[in-house]
Every structure is written in C-alpha cells, then in structure tokens.
Amino acid sequence: MSEAVDTGGSRIHDIGYRRYEGTNLGRLYVARSLYTHGLRSAFGLGRSAKAKIFPWIMVGLLGAFAVVVAAVRAQTGEMIVGYQEFQQVARVIVIIFLAVVAPELVSRDLRNKTLPLYFSRPLRRTDYALAKLAAVISAVFLLVAGPLTIVGAAAAFSVADVSGVWAEVRGLLGGYTMIAVLAVIHGSIALLIASLASKRAFAAGAIAAVFLVLVPIAQIPHELAHGAIGQLSLMISPDGMVDGLQEFLFGKGDANLEPGYRIYYGVGAVALVAAVVTALITRYRKVSL
C-alpha cells in the first residue's frame, strides 16, 4: 500500500520502488565512458567479429608496411620513409578508416534517434560532441603511431651508441607530432561531415570526396601559380595543410614553401581546427531530437 506525503500543494506517493543510494558520478564520468566506448568501437572491440574485420585490416596494412621499413633499416641502415613522412604514406588508409569509423560513431545515433538518451542529464550536447571528437582523433593517432613505433624500435636497436638512440627518439617524437597533426585536422573534419548525415553510406562518400577531391584542387595552383596564390593554395586541402604545417614546425617537407609563408599554415591550421570544432559543437546544440 502506498504512502502519501503532503508537500503543501501536491502529494507525492511512495509506491515501493527502491531508491538509488549510490554515488552520482557526474558529467566527467559519462563523457569519459562515451569516449572510451567510441574508441573501442572504432577498432571493433566489444562488438561482433564482423565489426573487427575492417579496422584490423587497416592496422595490418600499416603494420606490414612498418615491418618492411624496419627490416630495410636493420639490414641497410637506411630509412626508406622518414619518421615525419610516415604519416604521408598512411593518409590514404587514414581517409578510408575515417570514412567508415566517423559515420559509425555519430551517424548511427542520428539514424536511430538515440540522442535524447545521451542528452538527458548530466551529459550535455557539448560533452557528446567533444567525447566523440576525442575518440576519432585518438583512433587515428593509434592507427598510425603503433606501426611507426615498430619502425622506431627497430631503428633504435640498429644503432651503435646512446647518441644514435637519442637521435632516433627525437625523430620518433617528430613523427608522433605529425601524426597528431594529421589526426586532429583529418579527424575533426571527418566527424563534422559525418554529423550532418544520418545515413552512413552518404557520410562515408562525402568524407572520401572532400579529402580526395580537394587535393588536386589545391595542388594545381600550387604548381602553376606564383607568389602568394601558389604558396597558400595548399591550405584549401587538409593534406596540403598538414604538409605546410610540417614545414612550419620542422622547416622541411614536400610543400616547398618559401620561409615567409610557412607561418600562415601554422595560423591557418589553428583557425581551421577551431572553426571545425565550433561548427561541430554548434551542430549538436541545434540538432533536432
């Protein structure tokens, strides 16, 4: 039999349900759990065997390439691909990976209309967007950094003294830096595109198209034009932005930029990421439930 409590203007009935007396873990715990789940889902962990096939094929391809690079370094002492240039070889795989993983993390929630469950307290819409973004960036970084670590370990064991080992460590840290740059720029753009489509096929096609189509659009004026237009046209493409930022950070790369123009890529990369993240947060603040 229920007991009634008079609150002065209304009556609350206790119908016998057990009250929750545990700890309220709050927003941070929920956002961290969402990030962890997204990162695991990117590699198919905790999901069916079918879901694991694609991401681990991508891991295997980059891992096999890393083994080849490491074997050549151990046998000949030469690096066929430098630490900072390793991310350039990995870009096609990264784009394919993002075209599948980014829609998997956000488009499914839009299609299945599960966002109201996420946005119930205490998780906020900004928390959701940033947790998903962190998961995508982390997944791309791990995808490329893991194989590069194989190369670095093999190179460190092939040198004769401590100074050589330290040189390899510095090179490896530079490679990690460029992988982080690639993960942030490409991951944020891919997730923003995926957040605009509820169908994964459309989102995947749009992601691949944006990354692949913009490369020749940026490269043609870079090769043909002179002055500021030729030097800054690579900023149109995410790949070109990464190349320009590499020259800004390390003073060398394939962009062939004049020293005076490199700083624009540093400023442009920060502005691009800030704009994309702002657009992503705005998207989820205004998304219809």
Side-chain angles (χ1 to χ4, degrees), residues 38-102:
L39 182 57
R40 286 171 56 85
S41 297
F43 292 100
L45 302 179
R47 301 174 60 197
S48 66
K50 182 180 178 181
K52 296 180 175 66
I53 295 175
F54 169 78
W56 289 101
I57 287 177
M58 300 294 102
V59 172
L61 290 174
L62 281 179
F65 178 73
V67 169
V68 172
V69 175
V72 172
R73 175 58 190 268
Q75 294 295 324
T76 66
E78 297 181 0
M79 289 280 284
I80 58 175
V81 176
Y83 290 111
Q84 296 172 19
E85 290 72 31
F86 191 86
Q87 50 84 23
Q88 296 176 352
V89 179
R91 284 180 194 174
V92 173
I93 291 179
V94 167
I95 292 171
I96 297 172
F97 182 78
L98 285 172
V100 174
V101 169

Side-chain angles (χ1 to χ4, degrees), residues 178 180-182 184-186 188-189 234-235 237-238 240-246 248-249 261-277:
M178 289 310 305
V181 168
L182 176 73
V184 171
I185 292 178
H186 285 56
S188 58
I189 293 174
L234 290 179
M235 298 176 72
S237 164
M241 182 69 79
V242 174
D243 289 336
L245 193 57
Q246 179 179 345
F248 169 70
L249 293 174
Y261 288 98
R262 292 172 182 171
I263 191 173
Y264 292 103
Y265 284 84
V267 176
V270 173
L272 173 64
V273 173
V276 171
V277 173

Side-chain angles (χ1 to χ4, degrees), residues 1-281:
M1 184 174 181
S2 66
E3 297 180 0
V5 178
D6 191 354
T7 61
S10 61
R11 182 167 294 183
I12 301 175
H13 293 270
D14 182 0
I15 59 176
Y17 289 110
R18 180 178 297 178
R19 296 183 179 182
Y20 176 73
E21 298 178 353
T23 303
N24 187 355
L25 299 176
R27 288 173 55 198
L28 181 60
Y29 179 83
V30 178
R32 186 170 66 248
S33 298
L34 188 61
Y35 161 75
T36 303
H37 178 266
L39 182 57
R40 286 171 56 85
S41 297
F43 292 100
L45 302 179
R47 301 174 60 197
S48 66
K50 182 180 178 181
K52 296 180 175 66
I53 295 175
F54 169 78
W56 289 101
I57 287 177
M58 300 294 102
V59 172
L61 290 174
L62 281 179
F65 178 73
V67 169
V68 172
V69 175
V72 172
R73 175 58 190 268
Q75 294 295 324
T76 66
E78 297 181 0
M79 289 280 284
I80 58 175
V81 176
Y83 290 111
Q84 296 172 19
E85 290 72 31
F86 191 86
Q87 50 84 23
Q88 296 176 352
V89 179
R91 284 180 194 174
V92 173
I93 291 179
V94 167
I95 292 171
I96 297 172
F97 182 78
L98 285 172
V100 174
V101 169
E104 178 67 27
L105 293 186
V106 295
S107 298
R108 183 189 295 271
D109 292 338
L110 291 169
R111 187 181 70 253
N112 295 339
K113 301 185 184 301
T114 57
L115 289 178
L117 300 177
Y118 285 117
F119 295 155
S120 60
R121 292 185 301 175
L123 188 72
R124 298 180 182 176
R125 297 181 180 222
T126 301
D127 300 335
Y128 175 91
L130 294 180
K132 294 288 187 177
L133 178 60
V136 169
I137 291 174
S138 299
V140 174
F141 181 83
L142 293 175
L143 174 69
V144 186
L148 183 62
T149 304
I150 297 174
V151 177
F157 282 110
S158 66
V159 296
D161 51 24
V162 176
S163 61
V165 173
W166 177 237
E168 298 299 333
V169 171
R170 290 199 305 270
L172 186 60
L173 292 177
Y176 287 155
T177 300
M178 289 310 305
I179 293 172
V181 168
L182 176 73
V184 171
I185 292 178
H186 285 56
S188 58
I189 293 174
L191 193 69
L192 175 61
I193 296 171
S195 71
L196 301 175
S198 60
K199 293 185 178 181
R200 287 183 294 173
F202 291 164
I207 291 171
V210 167
F211 284 114
L212 298 178
V213 171
L214 289 180
V215 171
I217 293 178
Q219 194 65 35
I220 291 174
H222 180 67
E223 296 292 340
L224 300 180
H226 299 283
I229 295 178
Q231 291 290 301
L232 300 179
S233 64
L234 290 179
M235 298 176 72
I236 299 173
S237 164
D239 284 2
M241 182 69 79
V242 174
D243 289 336
L245 193 57
Q246 179 179 345
E247 292 199 7
F248 169 70
L249 293 174
F250 299 100
K252 60 180 181 178
D254 296 335
N256 298 320
L257 299 176
E258 296 176 8
Y261 288 98
R262 292 172 182 171
I263 191 173
Y264 292 103
Y265 284 84
V267 176
V270 173
L272 173 64
V273 173
V276 171
V277 173
T278 300
L280 181 65
I281 293 173

